[in-house]
Amino acid sequence: MGECIDGNEDLVKQMAKDGHLIGVHCMTHKDLTKEKLSDAAKELWAAREKIRAVTGTLPEYVRPPYGNWNAKLGGGRGGSLRSRLGTFFLH
C-alpha cells in the first residue's frame, strides 16, 4: 500500500534495484468497488505517483485490494481507470 512507503523508501528502492515486481495496490487498502470513481482514482494515482517518486519508474501492474474490480471502475473500453493507468491488472 502506498501509505506504507513513507519511512521505507530505501527498502522500496532496493526492491526495485533487485528486480522485484512493484505494483500499485492502493494508498489505504480501500475496496475500490465501494468508492466513488473519483475517490478510487485518487487512491490508485496517489500510490502510483508515490512509487514513481521513490523508484523513478511508473509501476506496470495493479492488484486491486481484495481483488475487487467492477465495470464502474473500468470493465469497459475508453476512459476507464484501467486504460488511463496504462497498467496490467492482477486479480
Side-chain angles (χ1 to χ4, degrees):
M1 291 178 296
E3 68 183 359
C4 295
I5 293 174
D6 292 336
N8 293 300
E9 293 88 351
D10 290 340
L11 175 62
V12 175
K13 286 179 190 174
Q14 188 64 48
M15 289 168 59
K17 181 181 174 188
D18 291 347
H20 292 274
L21 176 68
I22 300 174
V24 173
H25 193 52
C26 220
M27 279 301 288
T28 60
H29 208 261
K30 292 180 179 178
D31 183 345
L32 300 177
T33 63
K34 296 179 180 178
E35 300 295 316
K36 293 189 302 186
L37 184 59
S38 60
D39 292 339
K42 287 177 189 173
E43 282 281 321
L44 293 168
W45 259 269
R48 178 181 184 243
E49 288 305 309
K50 190 171 283 266
I51 293 167
R52 182 201 53 76
V54 171
T55 66
T57 60
L58 286 171
E60 296 181 33
Y61 293 88
V62 171
R63 195 237 178 235
Y66 313 102
N68 292 346
W69 196 258
N70 61 19
K72 172 186 82 173
L73 296 169
R77 296 181 173 178
S80 71
L81 287 180
R82 183 183 304 226
S83 65
R84 291 192 323 217
L85 277 168
T87 55
F88 301 100
F89 278 70
L90 308 172
H91 295 277

